[in-house]
């Protein structure tokens, strides 16, 4: 398929992944025209433009949007007029989105949430289903970094936590409420009674970021009920500044059920490539919409579940 990529910072991940998947990048767009020409020359891309409005009105099967979230609204509003597929980086609009902006969005837009495509997530989801009803899920994001001064603490919370939130929302989509209970904490509830607690705070003992997702089941660990402790599933991943992400073994009731891995390739690039590949198969007519969503894709409806949880930070 013929693809245009808008935004050439994270967009270079989209560009490289789509090419490796066998698709043709025929145009790139960047406000920085010098960078746009340089990257277009490097990859042999014929079309290079400084704004979305300059893109030809036809000739693309898919347009990939990889600009910062603050720019998503303007770009997506422009692209909704087109008949091609649209893939946009997560989140939908982010911390600066307003209710009126969200209401303006419609159509066949998918958002690139890559967390469900990380290594061993199939094991995580399989075990989650085996657990049956879930009492609670805790998402803890700890960090200690030189933060980008353009981000407020709330914006940093929004950007960082959206990753593991998408991991949970992929399987639990019946969220009915979410409130901010503290400056660095959100409490959400599902219609089926699962409590979702999200914490994002600085931890001076770290030099990087750590994600920990803990799922607590509603049932005791054995049928006889001799052990009243519930089943617990835990995922932990982190990176130290200057090193790639790595994931500790998945744990179920304190025992490892996967291997710890320090992948040679960037696990986020691999996950993004898998996520984009899933979406491109759909746009190419190779799989159904239902299968695409089941694989881990986020359409506008599904992405708004995650967005609505995090939007309580704006209150």
């Amino acid at each position: 398929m013929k693809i245009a990529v808008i935004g050439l910072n994270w967009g270079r991940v989209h560009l490289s992944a789509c090419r490796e998947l066998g698709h043709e990048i025929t145009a790139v767009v960047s406000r920085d025209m010098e960078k746009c020409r340089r990257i277009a020359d490097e990859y042999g891309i014929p079309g290079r433009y400084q704004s979305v409005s300059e893109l030809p009105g036809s000739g693309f099967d898919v347009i990939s949007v990889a600009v910062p979230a603050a720019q998503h609204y303007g770009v997506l509003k422009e692209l909704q007029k087109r008949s091609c597929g649209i893939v946009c980086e997560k989140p939908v609009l982010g911390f600066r989105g307003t209710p009126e902006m969200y209401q303006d969005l419609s159509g066949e837009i998918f958002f690139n949430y890559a967390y469900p495509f990380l290594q061993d997530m199939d094991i995580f989801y399989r075990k989650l289903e085996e657990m049956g009803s879930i009492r609670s899920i805790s998402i803890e994001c700890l960090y200690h970094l030189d933060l980008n001064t353009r981000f407020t603490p709330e914006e940093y919370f929004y950007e960082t936590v959206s990753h593991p939130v998408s991991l949970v929302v992929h399987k639990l989509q019946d969220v009915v409420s979410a409130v901010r209970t503290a400056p660095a904490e959100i409490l959400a509830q599902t219609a089926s009674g699962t409590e979702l607690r999200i914490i994002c705070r600085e931890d001076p003992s770290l030099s990087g970021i750590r994600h920990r997702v803990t799922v607590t089941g509603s049932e005791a660990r054995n049928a006889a009920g001799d052990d009243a402790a519930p089943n617990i599933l835990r995922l932990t991943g982190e990176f130290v500044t200057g090193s790639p992400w790595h994931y500790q073994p998945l744990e179920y009731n304190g025992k490892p059920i996967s291997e710890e891995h320090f992948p040679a390739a960037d696990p986020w690039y691999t996950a993004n490539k898998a996520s984009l590949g899933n979406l491109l198969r759909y746009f190419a007519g190779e799989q159904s919409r239902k299968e695409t969503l089941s694989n881990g894709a986020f359409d506008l409806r599904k992405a708004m579940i995650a967005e609505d949880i995090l939007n309580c930070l704006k209150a």
Side-chain angles (χ1 to χ4, degrees):
M1 291 191 294
K2 296 183 183 300
I3 299 173
V5 176
I6 302 172
L8 291 176
N9 288 324
W10 189 251
R12 294 198 69 164
V13 170
H14 288 224
L15 192 160
S16 297
C18 290
R19 281 168 59 99
E20 289 178 13
L21 290 164
H23 301 284
E24 181 183 2
I25 309 298
T26 57
V28 286
V29 180
S30 175
R31 291 178 175 179
D32 185 340
M33 201 58 200
E34 181 180 347
K35 175 191 283 187
C36 191
R37 293 192 186 98
R38 184 176 69 252
I39 292 175
D41 288 342
E42 178 184 345
Y43 287 91
I45 300 167
R48 58 281 306 267
Y49 305 97
Q50 200 164 17
S51 69
V52 178
S53 61
E54 295 177 7
L55 269 177
S58 61
F60 307 111
D61 299 298
V62 175
I63 297 179
S64 173
V65 179
V67 298
Q71 299 173 31
H72 284 182
Y73 176 73
V75 173
L76 292 175
K77 279 289 289 178
E78 177 74 24
L79 295 180
Q80 284 180 165
K81 305 171 187 176
R82 300 172 183 251
S83 59
C84 60
I86 301 172
V87 177
C88 183
E89 261 306 312
K90 64 87 193 166
V92 179
L93 297 181
F95 190 74
R96 301 186 185 278
T98 66
E100 294 76 20
M101 290 179 177
Y102 288 114
Q103 290 171 10
D104 276 348
L105 298 181
S106 62
E108 194 76 324
I109 308 171
F110 283 84
F111 294 86
N112 183 40
Y113 276 100
Y115 217 119
F117 295 89
L118 283 167
Q119 183 172 328
D120 293 339
M121 292 307 103
D122 57 334
I123 301 174
F124 178 88
Y125 286 130
R126 187 164 61 248
K127 186 58 70 173
L128 187 67
E129 291 184 2
E130 290 174 5
M131 290 175 72
S133 81
I134 302 300
R135 178 188 303 170
S136 65
I137 300 177
S138 167
I139 296 175
E140 184 181 47
C141 296
L142 307 178
Y143 66 88
H144 185 60
L145 298 164
D146 291 327
L147 294 181
N148 188 325
T149 55
R150 294 177 301 171
F151 280 3
T152 65
E154 288 83 1
E155 287 175 302
Y156 190 74
F157 189 141
Y158 206 112
E159 290 289 328
T160 304
V161 169
S162 62
H163 290 284
V165 166
S166 71
L167 173 75
V168 173
V169 166
H170 174 50
K171 289 297 183 182
L172 297 180
Q173 298 178 30
D174 61 338
V175 178
V176 294
S177 67
V179 294
R180 184 179 185 177
T181 55
E185 187 170 327
I186 291 173
L187 179 63
Q189 193 85 20
T190 71
S192 53
T194 301
E195 179 182 277
L196 175 58
R197 188 173 298 276
I198 305 166
I199 298 169
C200 182
R201 61 180 175 82
E202 187 167 16
D203 182 342
S205 70
L206 301 178
S207 179
I209 297 176
R210 177 182 297 149
H211 289 168
R212 178 177 292 126
V213 179
T214 304
V215 181
T216 303
S218 298
E219 300 176 2
R221 293 183 186 178
N222 62 53
D226 299 329
D227 181 0
N231 292 302
I232 295 177
L233 173 65
R234 180 170 288 122
L235 161 72
T236 304
E238 63 185 348
F239 85 91
V240 175
T241 302
S243 301
W245 275 84
H246 86 278
Y247 284 84
Q248 297 177 17
L250 288 171
E251 291 184 0
Y252 189 63
N253 295 335
K255 298 179 180 179
I257 56 172
S258 70
E259 300 294 328
E260 183 171 13
H261 52 96
F262 293 82
D266 179 358
W268 283 107
Y269 178 79
T270 304
N272 274 274
K273 181 179 174 181
S275 173
L276 291 167
N278 180 49
L279 293 173
L280 294 175
R281 288 193 298 275
Y282 167 68
F283 286 123
E286 297 172 4
Q287 65 188 25
S288 69
R289 195 173 193 279
K290 181 178 180 180
E291 182 181 359
T292 303
L293 290 169
S294 178
N295 288 343
F298 278 68
D299 60 2
L300 180 58
R301 182 202 64 82
K302 189 173 170 183
M304 282 305 305
I305 298 171
E307 199 98 346
D308 285 339
I309 293 171
L310 296 174
N311 278 343
C312 68
L313 292 168
K314 301 173 184 179

